[in-house]
Amino acid sequence: MSWFSELMQSNENLVTGFFAGVIMMAFFHGVLLTSFFFFSDQLATRANKYLSLSIMGVCIILAYEFIYWLEIENHIPDWIHFLPLYIRTTIPVGLYYYVIFLIQPNHQLSIGEKAGFYIIGFEVFLDLIYIPVNLFVKSSEDILLIEYYIDTIGWFLGLSAASYFLPAALKKVNSYQNSLFQNYSTTSDKSLGWLRNFLIATFFLIVIGLVSFLQYVLGLWDASEFTFTLITIGFMLLLFWIGYAIILKYNWFQIEPVPADDNTEETENTKLSSKTDKYH
């Protein structure tokens, strides 16, 4: 038995209650952030709506964690269990589109860039498979086995999407940063350094997620539980980070178009408007 399991058992009620409370607070915090990005006159931009997609993906994961921590999943109606809500791919895909439209709000997505929508759609399809499985498969052992494979594929899909879209988003941010350095003597009011740090932190969580996934596949349940708890804590911290940004760095999310040529290669410099001070 791991030290994490021993800690949980020795202080079960205290740890469970505290952690479940923090999870629920982070969940409602994320829902509030999403409402800001959708309904605020100044924040309801195309980019921020994709950021809210990512935030809601995190919120759904936290909601499920809240249910599992309190061990009340058996009290949840079956139709809720069957809803295709636990979509991991929304997190990296949403962040990727957020970066694209933050830098170039009028950007037209290429066929390759639209792949994120298909990946999310495929994961939704995977979740919908739970419905016929539970309705028509009679053996409980077969149901558990099929659900295990569906969950494993979902994990793999989410990690694969994150491994591509997060570095791609980081590359676009770095390209934008380089163009700032080449066109301005100061970048203090324009820099997206905060976003680069946010993406790096998110990618670090994905690395932990990969470790948790391998532990899950290998049957190391206690170790997987511990690493996924780290991921949950990390997601909560990221949500609070965005909330801090809205309160103290409101201009980060007040986005206006940055002139750019979508046909220009990423390695070329992007000429920015003299009014970029207002943008970032």
Side-chain angles (χ1 to χ4, degrees), residues 28-40 43-44 52 56:
F28 284 114
H29 178 77
V31 172
L32 184 62
L33 289 174
T34 300
S35 66
F36 280 144
F37 290 135
F38 263 97
F39 302 113
S40 169
L43 291 177
S52 68
M56 282 309 299

Side-chain angles (χ1 to χ4, degrees), residues 139-212:
S139 170
S140 58
E141 292 183 359
D142 290 340
I143 291 176
L144 290 175
L145 182 62
I146 294 172
E147 289 183 345
Y148 170 79
Y149 283 123
I150 293 174
D151 193 44
T152 301
I153 294 172
W155 266 89
F156 178 77
L157 191 64
L159 290 170
S160 298
S163 299
Y164 173 78
F165 286 106
L166 289 179
L170 186 60
K171 181 179 179 181
K172 288 183 178 296
V173 171
N174 287 335
S175 176
Y176 173 83
Q177 291 290 92
N178 290 335
S179 68
L180 286 183
F181 293 137
Q182 294 175 11
N183 288 277
Y184 291 89
S185 58
T186 176
T187 62
S188 58
D189 295 327
K190 318 173 190 67
S191 175
L192 292 181
W194 69 271
L195 181 54
R196 178 177 56 198
N197 295 336
F198 186 87
L199 291 171
I200 292 173
T202 305
F203 189 77
F204 179 71
L205 285 180
I206 300 306
V207 173
I208 299 177
L210 175 61
V211 174
S212 182

Side-chain angles (χ1 to χ4, degrees), residues 14-78:
L14 177 63
V15 174
T16 299
F18 173 78
F19 202 67
V22 175
I23 290 175
M24 186 52 54
M25 182 172 64
F27 169 80
F28 284 114
H29 178 77
V31 172
L32 184 62
L33 289 174
T34 300
S35 66
F36 280 144
F37 290 135
F38 263 97
F39 302 113
S40 169
D41 290 338
Q42 292 179 303
L43 291 177
T45 65
R46 190 179 184 185
N48 288 340
K49 288 179 180 179
Y50 281 111
L51 177 59
S52 68
L53 173 67
S54 230
I55 292 174
M56 282 309 299
V58 173
C59 286
I60 293 300
I61 290 176
L62 293 180
Y64 274 82
E65 281 301 293
F66 176 80
I67 292 171
Y68 294 144
W69 268 87
L70 294 183
E71 298 180 351
I72 58 175
E73 58 266 27
N74 293 330
H75 300 284
I76 304 299
D78 288 341

Side-chain angles (χ1 to χ4, degrees), residues 105-278:
N106 297 319
H107 177 75
Q108 297 297 316
L109 294 174
S110 66
I111 296 178
E113 289 172 332
K114 293 179 181 178
F117 298 118
Y118 303 121
I119 292 174
I120 291 176
F122 181 68
E123 189 173 8
V124 170
F125 170 75
L126 279 178
D127 267 26
L128 290 174
I129 294 177
Y130 282 111
I131 298 177
V133 167
N134 283 270
L135 289 178
F136 301 112
V137 178
K138 303 302 181 182
S139 170
S140 58
E141 292 183 359
D142 290 340
I143 291 176
L144 290 175
L145 182 62
I146 294 172
E147 289 183 345
Y148 170 79
Y149 283 123
I150 293 174
D151 193 44
T152 301
I153 294 172
W155 266 89
F156 178 77
L157 191 64
L159 290 170
S160 298
S163 299
Y164 173 78
F165 286 106
L166 289 179
L170 186 60
K171 181 179 179 181
K172 288 183 178 296
V173 171
N174 287 335
S175 176
Y176 173 83
Q177 291 290 92
N178 290 335
S179 68
L180 286 183
F181 293 137
Q182 294 175 11
N183 288 277
Y184 291 89
S185 58
T186 176
T187 62
S188 58
D189 295 327
K190 318 173 190 67
S191 175
L192 292 181
W194 69 271
L195 181 54
R196 178 177 56 198
N197 295 336
F198 186 87
L199 291 171
I200 292 173
T202 305
F203 189 77
F204 179 71
L205 285 180
I206 300 306
V207 173
I208 299 177
L210 175 61
V211 174
S212 182
F213 172 65
L214 293 176
Q215 293 168 336
Y216 173 75
V217 172
L218 295 174
L220 305 174
W221 309 116
D222 287 342
S224 180
E225 180 184 0
F226 171 68
T227 50
F228 199 83
T229 299
L230 292 180
I231 296 171
T232 302
I233 294 173
F235 277 143
M236 291 190 292
L237 291 176
L238 290 179
L239 287 181
F240 291 133
W241 185 353
I242 297 176
Y244 158 84
I246 288 181
I247 295 172
L248 299 182
K249 300 289 185 181
Y250 191 72
N251 63 301
W252 284 356
F253 303 94
Q254 292 177 298
I255 309 304
E256 295 182 32
V258 175
D261 182 2
D262 287 345
N263 295 322
T264 304
E265 294 293 332
E266 289 185 8
T267 54
E268 294 179 5
N269 297 333
T270 300
K271 294 298 182 180
L272 304 179
S273 168
S274 60
K275 294 183 180 180
T276 308
D277 288 348
K278 299 180 181 179

